[in-house]
């Protein structure tokens, strides 16, 4: 897979995750007061993870031909961790 293809795929995934975070924010506004603080903390954590992945993608885009494959592996790992956190948050929102 080429660097450009990996970057495009990761951007698409980040856009989807951003949409999910926005949906969770809306649900937070509708949540009861006692649950609201915990939900807002979860969203802040997700946004931090998203920003980290975006930074990793930016580094990948600007990498040299020698380093991009290592950076791609790091981006994929960061994305995988974020995906798990988003799925966990969705699950918590549904049960909360």
């Amino acid at each position: 897979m080429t660097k450009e293809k990996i970057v495009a795929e990761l951007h698409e995934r980040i856009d989807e995750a951003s949409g999910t975070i926005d949906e969770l924010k809306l649900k937070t506004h509708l949540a009861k007061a006692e649950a609201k603080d915990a939900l807002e903390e979860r969203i802040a954590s997700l946004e931090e993870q998203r920003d980290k992945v975006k930074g990793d993608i930016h580094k990948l885009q600007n990498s040299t031909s020698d380093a991009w494959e290592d950076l791609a592996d790091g981006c994929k790992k960061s994305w995988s961790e974020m995906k798990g956190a988003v799925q966990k948050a969705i699950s918590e929102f549904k049960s909360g």
Side-chain angles (χ1 to χ4, degrees), residues 14-29:
I14 284 294
D15 290 345
E16 289 174 16
S18 291
T20 301
I21 291 170
D22 289 342
E23 289 175 26
L24 294 175
K25 283 182 180 179
L26 177 61
K27 290 179 181 182
T28 299
H29 290 294

Side-chain angles (χ1 to χ4, degrees), residues 4-49:
E4 291 77 17
K5 202 169 203 175
I6 292 170
V7 168
E9 183 179 299
L10 289 167
H11 274 297
E12 185 177 310
R13 291 178 181 178
I14 284 294
D15 290 345
E16 289 174 16
S18 291
T20 301
I21 291 170
D22 289 342
E23 289 175 26
L24 294 175
K25 283 182 180 179
L26 177 61
K27 290 179 181 182
T28 299
H29 290 294
L30 303 174
K32 295 180 181 175
E34 62 270 5
K36 199 170 193 169
D37 289 340
L39 297 175
E40 287 174 345
E41 285 180 26
R42 171 65 74 180
I43 288 171
S45 175
L46 291 173
E47 289 175 326
E48 286 177 20
Q49 285 183 290

Side-chain angles (χ1 to χ4, degrees), residues 7-94:
V7 168
E9 183 179 299
L10 289 167
H11 274 297
E12 185 177 310
R13 291 178 181 178
I14 284 294
D15 290 345
E16 289 174 16
S18 291
T20 301
I21 291 170
D22 289 342
E23 289 175 26
L24 294 175
K25 283 182 180 179
L26 177 61
K27 290 179 181 182
T28 299
H29 290 294
L30 303 174
K32 295 180 181 175
E34 62 270 5
K36 199 170 193 169
D37 289 340
L39 297 175
E40 287 174 345
E41 285 180 26
R42 171 65 74 180
I43 288 171
S45 175
L46 291 173
E47 289 175 326
E48 286 177 20
Q49 285 183 290
R50 179 197 57 204
D51 292 344
K52 180 190 180 305
V53 174
K54 282 183 174 183
D56 290 347
I57 293 169
H58 181 73
K59 288 177 189 175
L60 175 61
Q61 282 179 300
N62 296 311
S63 65
T64 64
S65 59
D66 294 335
W68 80 265
E69 289 178 347
D70 290 336
L71 288 169
D73 290 341
C75 284
K76 288 177 184 178
K77 182 177 184 241
S78 294
W79 166 250
S80 180
E81 291 169 0
M82 183 180 171
K83 181 180 175 184
V86 168
Q87 289 171 338
K88 183 176 180 183
I90 290 169
S91 176
E92 289 174 2
F93 273 74
K94 286 181 181 177

